[in-house]
Amino acid sequence: AQTVTQSQPEMSVQEAETVTLSCTYDTSESNYYLFWYKQPPSRQMILVIRQEAYKQQNATENRFSVNFQKAAKSFSLKISDSQLGDTAMYFCAFMKRMEGWNTGNQFYFGTGTSLTVIP
Amino acid sequence: SAVISQKPSRDICQRGTSLTIQCQVDSQVTMMFWYRQQPGQSLTLIATANQGSEATYESGFVIDKFPISRPNLTFSTLTVSNMSPEDSSIYLCSVGGQGLEQYFGPGTRLTVT
């Protein structure tokens, strides 16, 4: 079974500063993907960034980047130049790639980190 | 990306009743997923809904409690049956994207009194 652990229930950061959210996972799979999702108070889950396990290069999306350490099974999210709109719950997610055309992609979510950006 | 809508957005229901939640996607998708997010908790997969076949339920979830319909490639319903206060949660539907990410609906906030 896959598990995803986010050890920081709550974090805060000053506006314009940088913050790093941690995530570790446990799996015996070799073919998988990792995601960070953001859930603001509106409840809408929004994809922030994704990482394919077979890629060594860390993914980057504008102010968001990851530090993917496959051997350590670590997948942290760095938010640079934090903005007030970044205030949200952030979920780390693991996806096991299923074989067969009619099978779904199984997602496992961490317990989330509540991030508050302070003006 | 996929645009997903859910109805109702929220509801308050009495113990012992049932509520059916609708999920509509703006494009045809093979798989649709139903999640539960209990207060302050992460998302837990309830079941995977395939068009034209029975839904596949995760451990701890059964069809009698959470019957699912999938009549076509853009629509699904989840019913929460014989509700108790422990069923108070946000229920989200999602679909897979071509980039393997999942897109989520806005959720249905259910309160059982």
Side-chain angles (χ1 to χ4, degrees), chain A residues 35-46:
Chain A
F35 302 85
W36 278 97
Y37 279 89
K38 166 184 174 182
Q39 188 179 42
S42 66
R43 296 202 312 263
Q44 181 74 54
M45 291 282 282
I46 302 166

Side-chain angles (χ1 to χ4, degrees), chain A residues 3-111:
Chain A
T3 59
V4 179
T5 302
Q6 293 179 250
S7 59
Q8 305 151 314
E10 295 181 357
M11 294 190 72
S12 62
V13 62
Q14 209 70 33
E15 192 176 7
E17 297 294 309
T18 295
V19 64
T20 299
L21 310 182
S22 66
C23 172
T24 59
Y25 59 96
D26 187 23
T27 184
S28 58
E29 301 290 333
S30 58
N31 187 13
Y32 58 88
Y33 301 79
L34 297 163
F35 302 85
W36 278 97
Y37 279 89
K38 166 184 174 182
Q39 188 179 42
S42 66
R43 296 202 312 263
Q44 181 74 54
M45 291 282 282
I46 302 166
L47 175 66
V48 175
I49 197 167
R50 77 165 194 207
Q51 174 81 42
E52 293 87 345
Y54 63 86
K55 288 186 178 179
Q56 291 187 338
Q57 186 173 6
N58 289 324
T60 298
E61 286 287 341
N62 300 315
R63 298 183 294 107
F64 300 90
S65 62
V66 299
N67 183 3
F68 175 46
Q69 302 289 329
K70 190 172 183 178
K73 297 179 181 176
S74 170
F75 182 60
S76 61
L77 173 71
K78 185 172 82 172
I79 306 174
S80 304
D81 185 25
S82 296
Q83 300 176 0
L84 297 178
D86 296 332
T87 293
M89 182 73 81
Y90 286 81
F91 292 98
C92 177
F94 170 100
M95 188 198 82
K96 180 174 68 172
R97 185 71 161 131
M98 303 290 284
E99 298 300 324
W101 73 273
N102 206 28
T103 57
N105 295 320
Q106 178 74 66
F107 269 66
Y108 300 87
F109 287 86
T111 51

Side-chain angles (χ1 to χ4, degrees), chain B residues 1-43:
Chain B
S1 66
V3 178
I4 304 171
S5 60
Q6 284 185 237
K7 290 181 182 179
S9 60
R10 60 177 62 224
D11 207 341
I12 301 173
C13 301
Q14 290 194 339
R15 181 196 300 259
T17 62
S18 298
L19 176 71
T20 296
I21 303 167
Q22 299 179 7
C23 178
Q24 181 77 50
V25 189
D26 68 342
S27 57
Q28 293 185 340
V29 293
T30 304
M31 314 293 291
M32 295 180 76
F33 306 87
W34 286 97
Y35 287 85
R36 181 174 74 182
Q37 186 178 22
Q38 294 181 303
Q41 303 289 320
S42 184
L43 284 73

Side-chain angles (χ1 to χ4, degrees), chain B:
Chain B
S1 66
V3 178
I4 304 171
S5 60
Q6 284 185 237
K7 290 181 182 179
S9 60
R10 60 177 62 224
D11 207 341
I12 301 173
C13 301
Q14 290 194 339
R15 181 196 300 259
T17 62
S18 298
L19 176 71
T20 296
I21 303 167
Q22 299 179 7
C23 178
Q24 181 77 50
V25 189
D26 68 342
S27 57
Q28 293 185 340
V29 293
T30 304
M31 314 293 291
M32 295 180 76
F33 306 87
W34 286 97
Y35 287 85
R36 181 174 74 182
Q37 186 178 22
Q38 294 181 303
Q41 303 289 320
S42 184
L43 284 73
T44 301
L45 182 64
I46 298 172
T48 302
N50 235 346
Q51 195 271 331
S53 64
E54 292 290 326
T56 302
Y57 289 83
E58 297 301 306
S59 175
F61 298 97
V62 296
I63 188 171
D64 289 346
K65 175 67 175 177
F66 297 101
I68 288 172
S69 78
R70 185 77 203 277
N72 58 53
L73 291 173
T74 64
F75 188 79
S76 178
T77 67
L78 169 76
T79 298
V80 186
S81 303
N82 188 26
M83 289 184 283
S84 66
E86 291 72 34
D87 295 321
S88 296
S89 282
I90 297 171
Y91 292 85
L92 300 105
C93 70
S94 74
V95 302
Q98 292 194 356
L100 303 177
E101 65 275 17
Q102 283 201 325
Y103 298 99
F104 290 85
T108 295
R109 183 183 293 276
L110 170 63
T111 303
V112 184
T113 60

